[in-house]
């Protein structure tokens, strides 16, 4: 360039690339900026890529964000920049901008990986929009993009629960319970089914939790007793509440329920 007297964008880019190859990250910025200036209106993404790498390697994340915000405006059709900007917003803990960026990227069809969809779902949940998190995760578990494994089903069940869709939360806790054969998931399913007034199904799930060795026996027996009571199965309700009386943690509350069940049964001429 000294010989020709030309300010050559490609030469500045090669210099920046050379510094990158030499791992001299701090020296990349100046030639990259000169390349950007020399390209003028014929925008080129490569010097921006080098600048982002330079700042990232030096953990200068706010500076990398500014570069990405600029390049996204210049190349909005490139999904790479949407994904990277969203992730860098997470690095600087700007969750609102991360959510807005990744949500817009998703709506344009730019999020195609399991990890990207799960990150967006987590951001929805973090932003108190658990319903959006649940519907997003449910959709992509359904398409097969996201694995139907215990971890993802647990997240889905939690999202539905947080959004107060009790029936759906119970459904996915049930699926999770069958997949893992874990007492805690049957217990959770049973408690949610009781809350949703699906008493017979609740009894079945809670009994399965006990069968698999659930620890909080007193509370589970209390729930079973309530289920039977609301089904007007007073004899079974009384049998369950007597078991709850044996647990010191539930003895006091169970004692009141025992009297209530007994009195109700007598009023309705049912022998318990």
């Amino acid at each position: 360039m000294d010989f020709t007297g030309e300010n050559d964008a490609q030469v500045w880019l090669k210099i920046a690339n050379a510094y990158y190859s030499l791992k001299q990250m701090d020296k990349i910025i100046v030639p990259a900026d000169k390349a950007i200036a020399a390209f003028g209106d014929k925008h080129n993404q490569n010097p921006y890529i080098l600048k982002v790498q330079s700042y990232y390697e030096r953990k200068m994340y706010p500076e990398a964000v500014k570069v990405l915000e600029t390049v996204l405006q210049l190349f909005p059709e490139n999904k790479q920049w949407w994904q990277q900007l969203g992730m860098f917003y997470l690095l600087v803990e700007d969750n609102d901008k991360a959510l807005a960026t990744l949500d817009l990227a998703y709506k344009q069809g730019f999020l195609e990986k399991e990890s990207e969809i799960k990150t967006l779902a987590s951001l929805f949940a973090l932003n108190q929009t658990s319903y959006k998190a649940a519907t997003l995760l449910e959709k992509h578990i359904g398409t097969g993009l996201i694995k139907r494994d215990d971890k993802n089903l647990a997240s889905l069940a939690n999202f539905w629960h947080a959004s107060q869709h009790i029936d759906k939360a119970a459904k996915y806790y049930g699926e999770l319970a069958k997949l893992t054969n874990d007492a805690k998931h049957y217990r959770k399913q049973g408690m949610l089914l009781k809350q949703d007034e699906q008493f017979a199904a609740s009894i079945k799930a809670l009994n399965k939790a006990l069968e698999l060795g659930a620890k909080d026996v007193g509370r589970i027996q209390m729930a079973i007793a309530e289920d039977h009571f609301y089904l007007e199965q007073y004899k079974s309700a009384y049998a369950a509440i007597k078991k709850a009386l044996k647990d010191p943690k539930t003895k006091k509350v169970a004692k009141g329920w025992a009297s209530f069940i007994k009195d109700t049964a007598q009023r309705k001429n049912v022998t318990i």
Side-chain angles (χ1 to χ4, degrees):
M1 284 190 292
D2 287 343
F3 179 76
T4 62
E6 293 180 6
N7 188 32
D8 193 314
Q10 289 294 345
V11 174
W12 285 120
L13 188 56
K14 287 176 182 179
I15 293 171
N17 260 309
Y19 281 128
Y20 179 77
S21 297
L22 292 167
K23 306 297 181 187
Q24 297 179 22
M25 297 298 170
D26 58 321
K27 294 183 179 179
I28 291 172
I29 302 301
V30 170
D33 279 338
K34 288 185 177 181
I36 290 167
F39 276 120
D41 293 336
K42 296 178 180 178
H43 301 298
N44 186 295
Q45 297 183 75
N46 291 320
Y48 294 101
I49 292 171
L50 288 166
K51 286 186 71 174
V52 171
Q53 286 290 338
S54 170
Y55 288 132
Y56 175 72
E57 293 293 338
R58 292 182 288 153
K59 295 183 170 55
M60 298 171 68
Y61 303 135
E63 289 80 0
V65 165
K66 288 178 182 177
V67 176
L68 287 166
E69 287 174 340
T70 299
V71 75
L72 183 59
Q73 293 179 46
L74 297 173
F75 304 98
E77 73 287 348
N78 190 334
K79 66 180 181 181
Q80 167 193 344
W81 299 120
W82 290 91
Q83 296 159 352
Q84 285 197 20
L85 180 56
M87 295 306 173
F88 270 86
Y89 278 137
L90 288 175
L91 283 175
V92 298
E93 298 182 358
D94 193 336
N95 293 330
D96 290 342
K97 285 186 178 179
L99 173 58
T101 303
L102 292 176
D103 186 26
L104 193 51
Y106 175 74
K107 288 172 180 173
Q108 296 176 88
F110 292 158
L111 302 188
E112 299 171 341
K113 297 178 182 177
E114 178 179 8
S115 60
E116 294 166 351
I117 300 296
K118 286 165 69 173
T119 297
L120 178 56
S122 296
L123 284 168
F124 276 132
L126 197 64
N127 200 48
Q128 307 299 315
T129 50
S130 296
Y131 176 78
K132 286 186 176 181
T135 53
L136 180 68
L137 203 59
E138 185 178 64
K139 175 183 176 180
H140 291 286
I141 287 176
T143 64
L145 177 62
I146 295 176
K147 296 185 191 75
R148 203 177 197 95
D149 60 18
D150 55 341
K151 186 176 180 181
N152 293 330
L153 284 172
S155 295
L156 180 54
N158 284 329
F159 291 154
W160 280 123
H161 191 192
S163 64
Q164 295 301 307
H165 283 70
I166 305 303
D167 56 338
K168 286 215 166 195
K171 172 189 170 184
Y172 285 109
Y173 273 118
E175 187 175 337
L176 179 60
K178 287 179 182 177
L179 182 67
T180 61
N181 207 36
D182 192 321
K184 69 182 179 183
H185 298 314
Y186 278 109
R187 177 193 170 281
K188 189 77 172 178
Q189 181 197 19
M191 293 298 187
L192 289 173
L193 287 167
K194 180 172 77 70
Q195 187 179 338
D196 200 46
E197 299 184 2
Q198 298 183 51
F199 302 121
S202 172
I203 292 167
K204 184 177 178 181
L206 292 172
N207 277 324
K208 185 67 176 177
L210 291 171
E211 180 188 318
L212 291 170
K215 293 181 180 179
D216 52 343
V217 175
R219 190 175 174 196
I220 291 172
Q221 290 291 358
M222 283 274 299
I224 291 172
E226 289 180 51
D227 285 331
H228 282 300
F229 178 82
Y230 293 124
L231 290 169
E232 298 185 358
Q233 298 168 350
Y234 303 117
K235 187 172 183 178
S236 296
Y238 194 65
I241 209 68
K242 283 199 295 185
K243 292 175 183 176
L245 283 165
K246 295 176 183 177
D247 188 331
K249 293 178 183 177
T250 52
K251 185 177 180 180
K252 186 175 180 181
V253 178
K255 192 174 180 181
W257 260 102
S259 298
F260 182 57
I261 292 167
K262 196 172 182 179
D263 292 344
T264 304
Q266 285 177 348
R267 241 185 6 259
K268 299 202 174 186
N269 297 316
V270 176
T271 302
I272 58 171

